[in-house]
Amino acid sequence: TRYFVDHRKVRVVGGRGGDGGHSFYSEPRKIFGGPDGGNGGDGGHVILKADRQMKSLSSVLPFYQGSHGERGGRKNCYGANGTYVYVKVPVGTLVKEDGEVVADLTQHGEEYVAAYGGAGGKGNRFFLSNENRAPMLFTPGEPGQERVLHLELKTTAHAGLVGFPNAGKSSLLRAISRAKPAVAAYPFTTLNPHVGIVHYQDYEQVAVADIPGLIKGAHQNRGLGMAFLRHIERCRFLLYVVDLSVSQPWIQLQDLKYELEQYKKGLSERPCVVIGNKIDLAQSRINLPLLKEQIDERVIALSALTGDNLEELFSHLRELYDTYVKTEQA
């Protein structure tokens, strides 16, 4: 079973360069043909490559090494270069070394050379000169670069569904996209972030991430803790999912914003909309006007179970996305 992994420590070593060749050309009627040792091949790199098919860092191994270069041969033959080792990682992978970010792979096909291979050595032919017609000198190949990297996955999505456990985030994602996160009547049903794609008639696509449920004290590592708070950082706008059937639902919104702000300053101030879920229940219809009185944000009341009022969510989600696109272009 492949489990969802969003952290990985990897040791990468580039391939060693091949040694230079050491030989002298000799054949009948040409006994003193001079040096003919070729240069060694370069070692292979270790390259991280973002791939949209990868959803987790679970397939990333703790150690990778590039192939070694071959030794230089006779008759000025150069050694073959070592082959590159490609490590596929999910889109949205952050690469850190000693706590500093060295690469951010946010596009499909983007590459980062994690460890360079060593240069190949010089054969004795390289050292031929007028002063030295029979050089005995040749150099060994250089060792490859060695690094210890920390890979950190941050889900790349336009919108993030943020809410307490059992607020109906997974049901809502199933209703608006083809994603199939688990749905059940107990808290913490969702243990992994899920990304669903909302399709529009003009072929525009908006990615929506279902972030596993937060609880009070999540910024202090309670519950699922900070394990998934980092996935909200990439989201350009937030969809706060509030359960309208509970008493004083506006308290949920205050607690959610507090947790986001404690984790990263300014995170709760991103463009957002409040989604009042479970409007099909009688208590929810009573709490809806009370919620609108308590908060300033726009409230979209809907039911992920029955599909009531999903059209308003679709249209407002597109408005948020278009505003984000215009801002990026500006």
Side-chain angles (χ1 to χ4, degrees):
T1 303
R2 291 269 186 208
Y3 295 98
F4 181 83
V5 176
D6 58 358
H7 261 102
R8 192 66 103 194
K9 181 180 178 182
V10 184
R11 179 169 162 257
V12 288
V13 181
R16 183 181 181 86
D19 297 336
H22 174 257
S23 62
F24 288 89
Y25 188 74
S26 179
E27 65 177 16
R29 300 182 183 179
K30 199 170 186 181
I31 302 174
F32 302 105
D36 69 345
N39 296 340
D42 296 334
H45 306 331
V46 179
I47 301 176
L48 303 179
K49 185 172 183 178
D51 190 336
R52 67 167 65 99
Q53 299 295 329
M54 306 295 293
K55 304 300 180 186
S56 168
L57 295 172
S58 58
S59 61
V60 177
L61 302 177
F63 176 74
Y64 288 96
Q65 182 169 25
S67 300
H68 301 314
E70 292 185 3
R71 182 186 179 94
R74 299 173 61 87
K75 299 183 180 179
N76 298 321
C77 290
Y78 282 33
N81 293 335
T83 56
Y84 295 170
V85 174
Y86 285 91
V87 183
K88 291 184 178 180
V89 296
V91 175
T93 299
L94 210 63
V95 185
K96 294 183 178 181
E97 185 178 21
D98 298 329
E100 296 184 3
V101 177
V102 294
D104 190 0
L105 306 177
T106 57
Q107 302 292 332
H108 174 72
E110 194 173 353
E111 297 181 0
Y112 173 69
V113 181
Y116 286 94
K122 303 298 184 182
N124 64 338
R125 170 75 182 185
F126 178 82
F127 298 98
L128 178 65
S129 64
N130 289 333
E131 292 76 22
N132 188 1
R133 304 305 298 172
M136 303 291 291
L137 179 64
F138 66 97
T139 59
E142 296 181 2
Q145 185 182 18
E146 182 173 350
R147 303 170 74 187
V148 177
L149 302 176
H150 293 266
L151 306 184
E152 183 177 308
L153 174 61
K154 292 184 178 180
T155 302
T156 302
H158 300 113
L161 294 173
V162 185
F164 283 107
N166 274 29
K169 301 184 299 301
S170 298
S171 300
L172 182 59
L173 188 65
R174 292 173 73 104
I176 64 177
S177 71
R178 295 179 182 177
K180 300 297 180 185
V183 174
Y186 54 84
F188 299 110
T189 310
T190 304
L191 297 177
N192 309 327
H194 292 270
V195 179
I197 306 297
V198 181
H199 298 267
Y200 288 90
Q201 290 184 348
D202 60 351
Y203 302 104
E204 194 64 76
Q205 298 179 350
V206 180
V208 181
D210 173 19
I211 310 298
L214 306 178
I215 64 172
K216 288 183 180 180
H219 70 280
Q220 299 172 339
N221 222 16
R222 291 186 58 196
L224 294 178
M226 293 183 289
F228 298 109
L229 274 169
R230 73 176 66 89
H231 294 279
I232 305 175
E233 291 184 47
R234 301 270 188 181
C235 301
R236 300 305 177 186
F237 39 92
L238 303 177
L239 308 178
Y240 293 103
V241 182
V242 176
D243 186 354
L244 287 177
S245 63
V246 302
S247 60
Q248 298 181 325
W250 54 89
I251 302 294
Q252 295 184 33
L253 183 62
Q254 296 173 3
D255 292 339
L256 287 171
K257 287 191 173 183
Y258 175 77
E259 293 299 326
L260 295 182
E261 195 64 25
Q262 290 298 310
Y263 173 71
K264 184 178 182 181
K265 191 171 181 62
L267 194 57
S268 64
E269 299 174 1
R270 293 189 180 179
C272 67
V273 63
V274 179
I275 300 173
N277 195 18
K278 306 181 183 180
I279 193 61
D280 51 306
L281 303 178
Q283 186 63 37
S284 300
R285 289 189 285 271
I286 298 174
N287 290 335
L288 179 59
L290 301 176
L291 175 64
K292 291 183 177 180
E293 291 176 5
Q294 294 287 334
I295 64 175
D296 299 329
E297 290 87 353
R298 177 176 178 177
V299 179
I300 299 177
L302 53 80
S303 172
L305 181 64
T306 63
D308 292 344
N309 207 25
L310 287 178
E311 293 79 8
E312 184 179 356
L313 174 61
F314 281 126
S315 62
H316 189 66
L317 183 62
R318 182 60 188 270
E319 291 175 13
L320 290 171
Y321 176 74
D322 290 340
T323 303
Y324 154 69
V325 171
K326 290 179 182 178
T327 306
E328 287 292 307
Q329 290 175 348

